[in-house]
């Protein structure tokens, strides 16, 4: 049956319009609040909301994450848990500072200092919530029920006080320290970054790598051949490293001799072999003499990290610009030549390129080496390079003082705690997340910036000639600071907090705060505690594990190196165990071609566009079903449209069919079930009724099973098949029963529609609400219902298997019809099916006969349709064609299935009672000629039909 047969025009599904109506309904009736009230005294289900920044607009990936959060929370609420959903806002750090810089039209730290830190901070503060309303509207529009009234905000005084308290705990455990290390550094933002921030910003790039010749002292024409991808670090060169366990060679290149690893010298004429150890201590002439080193430099040292995978087996060492370089320098007491300033520009001593940004100096340095005949070769090199996660500037590795958290000391606990977390999908646990934890580095916590949680470290620098007192005090609460300073501390932000000082208990001098603020990822990672102002308030709530750990969190896969990690890190540092029990990890949203969405590519898809076209529910359900949860999603409007048609429209039409033939709202309808969704429903003996109910109960059981495992995708996909079964088999094959006012069919369909609607409620909250209201559900809203439980005694596995066989046979038969070019309306004499199916009961065989329009089924070897059309069969076919046309005209004339008609026609049809009943006609008058009426065509001949309603 084509869908249009029971699809009246006024019943077209307009999901976006319907959703706006439902939003008003929820608001007016306070349905969200009522759903919370309903479960207030029930066991809790704890959810942590990963705080977004409200100074940028929500994107399509936020729709994805919020959809997955919402479905679990709605499901748990319907399962009888009390589910608080506190919103949160991330406010500090580079994301906000960058926005403020943009608004002020400035681009550097110098300009901020010139403007005044106080003015800059005010701008940050005011821009924190630029798009707060848009976020709230967006969240409401997609149907994510979130409590914005009690949102936690990371720049609140109480929130910061908890962060200070946590930092003091870490200090007391001797896990907070300052060190001079090579750290990833953003020259534009003027701050170092943590390894998890760096992990967010890798890009694949191509740049020049060069082979540099370093002239060996006192040996004629002999050079060490070193390889580097960062020419700008060459003026800072202090040594070269070889791996003592490798073999090296002296090789001929023109009139010169080059020293390099044997394995990297395949294209050379080898003159002499040298063991790696023999090279140690060999001196060479410096490439550049801009700075005179204070210690011995320019000789060969040994290092295990030197590999043979690329380069020459000889590595250039610039102690100030590489983590490994710094380690080698410390080990061999090499000098550190700092050639670059805080903006990534060469210092004045580097005369040739003073003031130039180092990456821009790369080609000039290459040119200079070429001129001096010290460049052996240059080639393009493709590799992953880190960029600043906020401003996209290439990062430099750079030696400087920073404050670190000694995460490496708690690595074991970190891994142990992570074992207790259930990941969806589970391979993330050992893979992406586990690998990250294995390689964990100390957390570079301090940022040389302005708008952030101030590092609560006060330092005494009283003393002369660098003989400072260096007494350190870490402050753990506002009260502690007020006690020491004797001042009321109103604001914890810079620059106000920088003015608060107190007396050093060691030397009587003045203690001042260090200038740094902290990594904003520490803010969000501390939210389980800071959102409650722990331990200053709600201490018991956390310690009795009422609101900690979270039962569930969900964010994008990038958060394995972000929030998922920092939550675990902070909780582990405090000795509180795993901070969440279950986590759903979501793939990236890409464009239809699989490319990242970006402004420059112009391929960004706005969530509002999707929701205006197809509705929030369709966008949600698309994400629930499109692919496995952590895989990248290639967002294609075509796919969303297909889902709209195949799933939403189909289910909507099933419901419309019910409305037309059974409608509860029709007072004359005799078909209403006695009890709505009665779990003890008396299922009729009809095989189709039994089958669709069995399918439903099984879907019910499996949805629960999957959602309890947080496998949303497997749960949601069950509905796709089910809706197809319901519409394209159950209703299609039961059509005549509905027309005949079969009460059992009506009751079954009602039961199935209502239960499916409840099952769908967490997935497609709007659509389910509309259907529930239309079906006249008992509660005020479907979201105040309990989640249905499966009626397992109604599941009949054998029946389902048989029906699957029937559908297979039908599909094969219809394919044979199509091949022979015979319409389904043309009856055929017989169909042969394999004798192995001879045990199929008659009622199933009847379904095959009806669906394939054959008179008889016989058993033979295979599915074979008898395609011969006798005169009698042809006449019957003509009659069916005619009936179809009559029904079409009925519908066109706006008649309902209940209207009775009189028919005039030129087609020679038999005036039987059966035929008249099938078109609800009182009389059929066959005429040789007719004036007027509708012209129709049957098997290429012209016929006329005239219909009159009586
Ligand atoms: Zn930056
Ligand atoms: Zn002191």
């Amino acid at each position: 049956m084509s869908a249009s047969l029971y699809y009246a025009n006024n019943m077209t599904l307009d999901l976006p319009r319907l959703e706006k109506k439902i939003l008003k309904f929820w608001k007016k009736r306070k349905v969200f609040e009522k759903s919370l009230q309903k479960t207030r005294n029930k066991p809790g289900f704890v959810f942590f909301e990963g705080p977004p920044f409200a100074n940028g607009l929500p994107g399509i990936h936020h729709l994805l994450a919020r959809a997955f959060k919402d479905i679990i929370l709605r499901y748990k609420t319907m399962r009888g848990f009390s589910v608080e959903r506190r919103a949160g806002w991330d406010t500090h750090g580079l994301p906000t500072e960058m926005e403020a810089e943009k608004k002020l039209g400035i681009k550097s730290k110098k300009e901020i200092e010139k403007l005044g830190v106080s003015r800059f901070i005010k701008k940050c503060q005011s821009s924190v919530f630029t798009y707060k309303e848009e976020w709230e509207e967006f969240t409401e529009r997609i149907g994510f029920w979130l409590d914005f009234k009690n949102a936690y905000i990371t720049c609140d005084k109480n929130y910061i006080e908890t962060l200070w308290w946590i930092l003091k705990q870490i200090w007391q455990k001797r896990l907070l320290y300052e060190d001079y290390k090579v750290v990833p550094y953003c020259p534009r933002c003027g701050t170092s970054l943590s390894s998890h921030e760096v992990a967010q910003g890798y890009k694949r790039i191509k740049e020049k790598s060069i082979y540099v010749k370093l002239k060996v002292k006192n040996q004629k024409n002999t050079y060490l051949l070193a390889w580097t991808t960062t020419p700008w670090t060459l003026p800072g060169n202090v040594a070269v490293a070889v791996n003592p366990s490798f073999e090296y060679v002296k090789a001929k290149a023109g009139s010169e001799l080059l020293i390099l690893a044997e394995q990297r010298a395949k294209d050379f004429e080898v003159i002499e072999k040298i063991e790696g150890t023999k090279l140690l201590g060999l001196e060479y002439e410096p490439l550049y003499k801009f700075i005179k080193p204070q210690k011995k430099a320019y000789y060969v040292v040994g290092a295990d990290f030197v590999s043979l995978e690329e380069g020459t087996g000889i590595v250039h060492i610039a102690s100030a610009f590489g983590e490994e370089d710094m380690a080698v320098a410390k080990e061999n007491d090499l000098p550190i030549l700092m050639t670059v300033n805080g903006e990534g520009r060469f210092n004045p001593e580097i005369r040739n390129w003073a003031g130039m940004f180092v990456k821009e100096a790369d080609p000039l340095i290459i040119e200079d080496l070429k001129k001096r005949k010290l460049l052996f070769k240059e080639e393009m090199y493709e590799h992953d390079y880190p960029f600043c996660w906020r401003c996209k500037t290439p990062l430099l590795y750079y030696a400087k003082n920073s404050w670190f958290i000694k995460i490496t000391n708690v690595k074991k606990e970190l891994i142990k705690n992570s074992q207790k977390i259930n990941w969806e999908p589970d391979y993330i646990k050992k893979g992406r997340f586990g690998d990250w934890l294995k390689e964990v580095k100390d957390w570079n916590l301090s940022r040389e910036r302005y708008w952030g949680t101030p590092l609560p470290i006060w330092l005494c620098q009283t003393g002369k000639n660098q003989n400072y007192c260096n007494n350190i005090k870490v402050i753990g609460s506002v009260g502690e600071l007020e006690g020491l300073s004797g001042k009321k501390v109103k604001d914890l932000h810079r620059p106000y907090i920088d003015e608060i000082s107190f007396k050093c208990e060691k030397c009587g001098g003045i203690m001042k705060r260090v200038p740094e603020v902290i990594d904003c990822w520490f803010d969000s990672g501390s939210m389980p505690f800071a959102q409650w102002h722990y331990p200053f308030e709600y201490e018991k709530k956390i310690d009795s594990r009422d609101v900690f750990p979270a039962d569930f969190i969900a964010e994008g896969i990038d958060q394995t190196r972000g929030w998922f990690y920092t939550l675990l890190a902070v909780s582990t540092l405090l000795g509180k165990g795993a901070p969440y029990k279950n986590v759903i990890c979501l793939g990236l949203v890409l464009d239809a071609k699989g490319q990242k969405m970006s402004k420059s590519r112009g391929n960004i898809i706005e969530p509002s566009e999707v929701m205006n076209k197809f509705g929030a529910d369709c966008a949600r359900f698309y994400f629930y079903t499109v692919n496995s949860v952590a895989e990248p999603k290639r967002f294609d409007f075509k796919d969303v449209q297909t889902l709209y048609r195949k799933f939403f429209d189909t289910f909507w039409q099933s419901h419309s069919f019910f409305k037309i033939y059974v409608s509860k709202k029709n007072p004359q309808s005799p078909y209403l079930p006695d009890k709505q969704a009665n779990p003890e429903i008396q299922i009729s003996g009809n095989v189709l009724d039994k089958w669709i109910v069995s399918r439903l109960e099984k879907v019910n059981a499996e949805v629960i099973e999957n959602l309890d495992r947080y496998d949303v995708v497997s749960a949601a996909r069950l509905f796709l098949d089910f809706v197809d079964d319901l519409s394209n088999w159950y209703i299609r094959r039961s059509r005549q029963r509905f027309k005949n006012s079969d009460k059992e069919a009506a009751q079954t369909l009602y039961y199935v529609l209502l239960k499916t609607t409840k099952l769908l409620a967490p997935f497609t909250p709007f659509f389910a609400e509309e259907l529930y209201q239309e079906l006249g559900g008992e509660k005020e809203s479907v979201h105040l219902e309990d989640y249905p439980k499966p009626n397992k005694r109604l599941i009949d596995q054998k029946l389902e298997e048989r029906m699957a066989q029937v559908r297979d046979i039908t599909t094969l038969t219809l394919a044979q019809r199509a091949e022979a070019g015979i319409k389904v309306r043309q009856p055929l004499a017989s169909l042969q099916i394999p004798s192995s199916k001879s045990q199929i009961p008659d009622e199933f065989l009847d379904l095959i006969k009806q669906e394939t329009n054959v008179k008889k089924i016989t058993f033979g070897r295979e599915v074979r349709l008898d395609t011969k059309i006798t005169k009698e069969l042809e006449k019957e076919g003509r009659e069916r064609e005619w009936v179809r046309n009559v029904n079409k005209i009925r519908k066109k004339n706006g008649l309902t299935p209940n209207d009775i008609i009189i028919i005039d026609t030129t087609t020679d049809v038999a005036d039987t009672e059966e035929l008249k009943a099938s078109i609800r006609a009182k009389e059929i008058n066959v005429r040789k000629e007719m004036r007027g009426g509708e012209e129709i065509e049957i098997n290429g001949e012209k016929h006329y039909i005239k219909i009159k309603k009586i």
Side-chain angles (χ1 to χ4, degrees):
M1 171 174 62
S2 82
S4 59
L5 255 177
Y6 55 84
Y7 190 6
N9 286 335
N10 58 351
M11 287 181 179
T12 308
L13 174 62
D14 182 348
L15 206 45
R17 208 186 61 187
L18 176 157
E19 289 177 349
K20 279 173 194 152
K21 186 183 79 181
I22 298 293
L23 281 174
K24 277 187 200 151
F25 169 80
W26 285 343
K27 215 177 216 172
K28 197 173 151 205
R29 304 286 188 95
K30 295 195 182 331
V31 179
F32 176 33
E33 290 83 347
K34 283 175 186 167
S35 78
L36 293 176
Q37 266 163 29
K38 185 190 162 208
T39 51
R40 193 166 27 195
N41 299 316
K42 297 283 171 62
F45 179 84
V46 181
F47 163 72
F48 291 161
E49 161 74 343
F53 284 96
N55 62 359
L57 285 166
I60 190 89
H61 54 290
H62 294 110
L63 200 164
L64 167 71
R66 299 198 154 217
F68 272 83
K69 292 173 189 178
D70 188 62
I71 188 213
I72 294 293
L73 303 185
R74 282 181 189 271
Y75 169 67
K76 290 291 176 183
T77 304
M78 287 180 84
R79 286 298 297 272
F81 289 93
S82 168
V83 186
E84 275 198 49
R85 301 151 211 210
R86 195 170 179 188
W89 297 110
D90 218 344
T91 54
H92 281 147
L94 286 178
T96 308
E97 291 199 34
M98 293 261 320
E99 274 306 304
E101 284 182 44
K102 243 191 241 167
K103 281 181 184 154
L104 290 163
I106 56 176
K107 278 181 183 156
S108 68
K109 279 169 80 171
K110 257 190 215 155
E111 286 172 290
I112 295 170
E113 302 276 353
K114 205 173 138 202
L115 180 85
V117 173
S118 162
R119 271 186 70 190
F120 181 67
I121 291 291
K122 276 205 181 107
K123 197 73 195 173
C124 289
Q125 244 158 351
S126 70
S127 76
V128 159
F129 287 125
T130 310
Y131 297 112
K132 187 166 177 263
E133 267 176 38
E134 283 84 348
W135 270 90
E136 293 184 358
E137 268 170 35
F138 163 77
T139 304
E140 188 189 324
R141 177 65 191 87
I142 64 174
F144 178 28
W145 280 350
L146 194 62
D147 177 8
F148 282 105
K149 279 185 209 122
N150 298 303
Y152 67 87
I153 300 162
T154 60
C155 61
D156 273 355
K157 194 178 174 188
N158 284 349
Y159 197 97
I160 294 173
E161 191 176 28
T162 296
L163 300 179
W164 280 14
W165 178 85
I166 295 171
L167 287 168
K168 185 157 188 175
Q169 304 299 305
I170 295 170
W171 168 258
Q172 283 169 345
K173 291 182 180 184
R174 300 180 182 276
L175 296 173
L176 186 62
Y177 69 98
E178 192 189 21
D179 200 2
Y180 185 70
K181 277 198 200 181
V182 172
V183 286
Y185 181 87
C186 175
R188 196 222 68 93
C189 296
T191 183
S192 59
L193 300 169
S194 60
S195 50
H196 53 260
E197 284 175 301
V198 175
Q200 320 260 337
Y202 274 94
K203 272 191 218 161
R204 191 120 193 117
I205 57 159
K206 261 186 190 172
E207 58 184 350
K208 266 186 188 158
S209 72
I210 56 171
Y211 294 80
V212 187
K213 296 191 297 190
L214 298 136
K215 169 105 182 44
V216 177
K217 267 191 182 170
N218 308 321
Q219 285 190 35
K220 218 183 158 197
N221 280 342
T222 307
Y223 298 85
L224 290 153
L225 191 64
W227 179 75
T228 181
T229 57
T230 49
W232 64 267
T233 60
L234 288 171
N237 173 274
V238 291
V240 295
V242 298
N243 192 323
S245 64
F246 295 163
E247 288 284 343
Y248 287 79
V249 294
K250 224 178 238 179
K252 217 177 157 195
S255 59
E256 293 170 348
L257 294 173
L258 301 177
I259 299 173
L260 70 163
E262 186 180 18
Q263 281 199 39
R264 306 297 296 176
K266 280 175 188 140
D267 302 330
F268 291 89
E269 184 189 334
V270 173
I271 302 294
E272 182 191 341
K273 287 194 185 187
I274 314 167
E275 279 171 38
T277 46
K278 294 272 163 66
L279 289 172
L280 300 181
L282 186 67
E283 293 183 42
Y284 61 88
E285 284 169 14
L287 277 179
Y288 291 101
K289 294 178 181 167
F290 295 124
I291 305 174
K292 195 172 172 356
Q294 299 300 310
K295 293 174 180 174
K296 192 184 174 210
Y298 311 123
Y299 61 93
V300 178
V301 295
D304 292 338
F305 68 79
V306 177
S307 80
L308 294 170
E309 277 154 35
E310 49 197 6
T312 61
I314 298 180
V315 172
H316 135 69
I317 300 290
S319 43
F321 306 112
E323 232 180 310
E324 285 166 330
D325 304 47
M326 179 65 100
V328 168
K330 278 184 184 168
E331 214 173 284
N332 294 281
D333 197 29
L334 289 162
I336 294 165
L337 300 187
M338 184 46 84
T339 55
V340 176
N341 71 11
E343 292 172 345
R345 294 172 188 280
F346 277 115
N347 286 331
E349 303 94 292
I350 314 303
R351 289 179 313 273
N352 298 16
W353 306 293
M356 188 175 276
F357 183 59
V358 293
K359 283 274 177 190
E360 281 162 20
D362 273 348
L364 303 181
I365 292 170
I366 294 174
E367 203 47 46
D368 175 68
L369 292 170
K370 223 185 253 175
K371 255 193 231 157
R372 292 164 56 200
K373 299 199 172 13
L374 293 174
L375 186 81
F376 176 70
K377 196 167 89 173
E378 52 184 313
E379 60 189 18
M380 289 315 279
Y381 177 65
E382 198 178 348
H383 63 146
D384 292 322
Y385 194 86
F387 289 74
C388 176
W389 66 295
R390 289 319 300 185
C391 75
K392 312 294 177 210
T393 303
L395 298 181
L396 308 177
Y397 283 81
Y398 196 95
K400 63 193 331 300
N401 271 315
S402 281
W403 287 87
F404 294 87
I405 297 177
K406 211 165 183 51
I407 293 282
T408 45
N409 259 33
V410 296
K411 186 170 157 181
K412 257 191 197 159
E413 286 95 319
L414 212 57
I415 290 171
K416 204 180 100 202
N417 289 337
S418 78
Q419 304 294 333
K420 292 175 193 148
I421 299 165
N422 168 45
W423 288 79
E424 171 59 28
D426 65 348
Y427 61 81
I428 304 284
K429 181 182 194 154
K430 278 195 181 148
R432 206 180 159 89
F433 197 63
D435 290 344
W436 172 253
L437 294 183
K438 261 189 247 159
E439 301 295 320
V440 79
K441 292 199 168 93
D442 282 354
W443 186 339
N444 180 7
L445 184 72
S446 54
R447 297 289 173 273
E448 299 90 329
R449 294 294 306 188
Y450 309 94
W451 174 243
T453 296
L455 196 57
I457 294 173
W458 269 256
L459 177 70
C460 177
Q461 292 212 311
T462 313
K464 274 180 191 167
N465 301 332
Q466 309 226 331
N467 251 335
Y468 296 137
C469 163
N470 280 339
N471 183 29
I472 285 174
K473 185 95 189 159
V474 176
I475 300 295
S477 73
V478 176
E480 188 183 356
L481 185 59
E482 286 180 342
L484 286 167
S485 67
K487 274 183 193 154
K488 189 98 190 120
V489 180
K490 282 179 235 144
D491 185 353
L492 301 185
H493 284 108
R494 295 191 70 188
Y496 179 86
I497 196 70
D498 301 334
E499 304 303 315
I500 310 284
S501 60
F502 49 87
K503 206 167 132 188
C504 172
E505 43 193 9
K506 251 194 192 168
C507 74
I510 295 170
M511 300 202 69
K512 285 186 168 174
R513 200 185 72 80
V514 299
E516 289 92 348
V517 295
I518 66 168
D519 180 4
C520 64
W521 290 92
F522 189 88
D523 292 8
S524 52
S526 303
M527 64 69 65
F529 312 100
Q531 70 168 336
W532 296 105
H533 194 209
Y534 180 86
F536 306 98
E537 291 174 75
Y538 299 104
E539 194 178 356
K540 273 194 187 143
K541 259 187 134 169
I542 293 227
D543 291 343
S544 67
R545 299 178 86 79
D546 263 1
V547 293
F548 178 90
D551 287 290
F552 162 67
I553 60 172
E555 302 291 340
I557 196 165
D558 48 331
Q559 299 300 335
T560 46
R561 279 119 203 238
W563 194 56
F564 295 154
Y565 166 65
T566 58
L567 278 175
L568 180 68
V570 172
S571 182
T572 302
L573 286 162
L574 287 176
K576 298 273 187 198
Y580 44 93
K581 295 181 193 165
N582 301 285
V583 50
I584 296 183
C585 207
L586 301 155
L588 296 170
V589 186
L590 307 172
D591 75 2
K593 288 177 194 151
Q595 288 200 305
K596 258 192 175 176
M597 294 189 195
S598 71
K599 264 188 204 157
S600 57
R601 283 202 186 97
N603 61 351
I604 291 180
I605 290 169
E606 296 294 343
S608 57
E609 191 188 349
V610 186
M611 292 192 283
N612 291 340
K613 269 190 186 154
F614 300 105
D617 273 353
C618 191
R620 289 170 62 124
F621 211 66
Y622 165 78
F623 283 131
Y624 298 150
T625 51
V626 62
N627 61 3
S628 65
V629 66
E631 293 298 310
K633 284 116 192 39
R634 294 181 174 208
F635 193 92
D636 196 335
F637 275 102
K638 269 192 231 149
D639 295 340
V640 184
Q641 191 171 19
T642 305
L643 180 74
Y644 190 91
R645 191 167 47 75
K646 275 196 162 173
F647 177 73
F648 289 91
D649 232 11
T650 305
F651 193 57
W652 183 251
Q653 284 166 32
S654 300
H655 167 255
S656 301
F657 179 84
F658 174 81
K659 244 174 113 175
I660 293 166
Y661 287 99
V662 192
S663 181
K664 180 182 164 61
K665 286 183 176 167
N666 175 0
Q668 273 118 49
S669 169
Y671 320 123
L672 275 183
D674 304 325
K675 284 185 189 171
Q676 293 165 7
N678 179 358
E680 292 305 313
I681 185 176
Q682 295 304 310
I683 296 304
S684 77
N686 180 285
V687 67
L688 281 166
D689 290 351
K690 281 201 286 194
W691 172 72
I692 195 66
V693 170
S694 171
R695 287 280 295 115
L696 173 68
E697 301 302 337
K698 203 163 133 211
V699 164
N700 190 168
E702 287 178 356
V703 165
I704 287 178
E705 218 173 87
N706 283 307
L707 286 185
D708 284 348
R709 288 193 275 124
Y710 297 87
D711 185 354
V712 175
V713 174
S714 298
R717 285 180 174 176
L718 292 166
F719 291 102
L720 298 179
D721 285 342
F722 181 72
V723 161
D724 179 64
D725 282 345
L726 175 67
S727 169
N728 295 324
W729 194 250
Y730 176 73
I731 293 179
R732 183 183 166 95
R733 290 274 40 97
S734 308
R735 196 174 19 156
Q736 205 50 51
R737 295 171 65 218
F738 285 106
K739 286 185 179 169
N740 296 343
S741 308
D742 183 309
K743 194 173 173 180
E744 285 174 337
Q747 287 197 355
T748 303
L749 182 56
Y750 184 75
Y751 174 76
V752 169
L753 287 174
L754 190 61
K755 194 169 191 184
T756 309
T757 296
K758 289 182 202 170
L759 289 173
L760 272 174
F763 296 85
T764 57
F766 300 95
F767 188 56
E769 185 74 281
E770 173 72 10
L771 293 166
Y772 184 80
Q773 300 300 336
E774 284 280 323
L775 290 165
E778 271 183 333
K779 300 270 162 62
E780 190 177 6
S781 157
V782 71
H783 302 288
L784 300 175
E785 283 275 2
D786 292 338
Y787 204 68
K789 291 199 177 97
N791 217 324
K792 286 188 177 155
R793 72 178 174 85
L794 300 177
I795 299 175
D796 185 338
Q797 196 56 39
K798 194 153 187 214
L799 171 71
E800 290 193 32
E801 278 162 24
R802 276 218 172 110
M803 197 62 89
Q805 283 181 342
V806 166
R807 292 196 72 180
D808 283 347
I809 293 169
T810 307
T811 308
L812 282 171
T813 311
L814 293 178
Q816 290 182 19
R817 264 186 179 275
E819 213 173 285
I822 303 170
K823 284 183 190 165
V824 181
R825 279 186 295 275
Q826 174 60 58
L828 291 172
S830 70
L831 169 70
Q832 205 180 73
I833 64 171
S835 52
S836 61
K837 312 274 194 250
S838 60
Q839 80 287 6
I840 297 181
D842 283 350
E843 52 196 337
F844 290 89
L845 296 179
D846 286 345
L847 291 173
I848 299 176
K849 282 194 224 162
Q850 290 159 16
E851 178 70 11
T852 61
N853 199 9
V854 298
K855 305 271 179 200
K856 199 171 71 183
I857 288 179
T858 60
F859 301 98
R861 268 185 204 170
E862 56 188 354
V863 176
R864 190 187 290 159
L865 187 66
D866 179 0
T867 51
K868 206 165 78 194
I869 303 169
T870 61
K871 263 198 178 159
E872 235 168 50
L873 288 171
E874 196 195 345
K875 184 169 180 264
E876 209 181 319
R878 193 178 331 133
E879 208 167 88
R880 293 213 184 190
E881 229 12 272
W882 181 82
V883 167
R884 188 180 68 93
N885 278 295
V886 170
N887 282 332
K888 220 161 109 185
I889 296 163
R890 279 186 69 112
K891 208 175 132 197
K892 200 171 119 194
N893 292 358
L895 301 185
T896 72
N898 294 325
D899 294 325
I900 314 271
I901 52 171
I902 292 175
I903 285 193
D904 288 355
T905 181
T906 56
T907 313
D908 179 24
V909 289
D911 184 10
T912 60
E913 287 309 313
E914 199 193 339
L915 185 65
K916 279 194 281 190
S918 71
I919 51 170
R920 297 216 142 221
K922 200 182 165 207
E923 284 172 31
I924 300 175
N925 304 313
V926 179
R927 301 179 189 286
K928 279 214 170 130
E929 268 180 53
M930 259 174 67
R931 250 188 227 165
E934 299 261 351
E935 185 185 304
I936 60 160
E937 201 188 280
I938 297 174
N939 296 342
E941 290 167 25
K942 271 183 191 168
H943 294 257
Y944 293 90
I945 295 174
K946 202 179 195 172
I947 284 178
K948 214 167 88 192
K949 183 183 157 187
I950 56 167

